[in-house]
Amino acid sequence: MLKLNVDAAIDSGKQMAGLGAIIRDSNGNCVAVAVKTSHFWRDVCHAEAEATDWGLQVAEKANLNSLIVQSDCQEVVSWFFALLCT
């Protein structure tokens, strides 16, 4: 089983966000890792949602289909869960 961890860091003064994603296997070994910057236009939850979406894109490009997704933003987790269950 693979786990995708995502996070966002905000610099509101520069209106920039740093997005990070790491995918690990069940032994904790890194399978894929990626970081990028993005414009920060709204609130932290939007940046966290962008990090989650981007992390899923990274997994898809690496042909990794079955994942546990972890984020520290409960609002984003609830939103993605609702999206997947409809």
Side-chain angles (χ1 to χ4, degrees), residues 7-10 17-19 38-54 73 75-76 79-80:
D7 204 3
I10 306 301
L19 310 178
S38 177
H39 290 287
F40 174 63
W41 300 112
R42 295 186 179 104
D43 60 25
V44 175
C45 284
H46 283 89
E48 293 282 352
E50 185 179 357
T52 303
D53 182 57
W54 181 67
C73 184
E75 201 172 332
V76 170
W79 182 79
F80 272 97

Side-chain angles (χ1 to χ4, degrees), residues 3-8 19-24 30 32-36 51-52 54-56 58-59:
K3 183 189 254 186
L4 166 65
N5 291 87
V6 297
D7 204 3
L19 310 178
I22 185 167
I23 301 170
R24 292 188 173 118
C30 180
V33 64
V35 295
K36 79 171 190 173
T52 303
W54 181 67
L56 291 169
V58 169

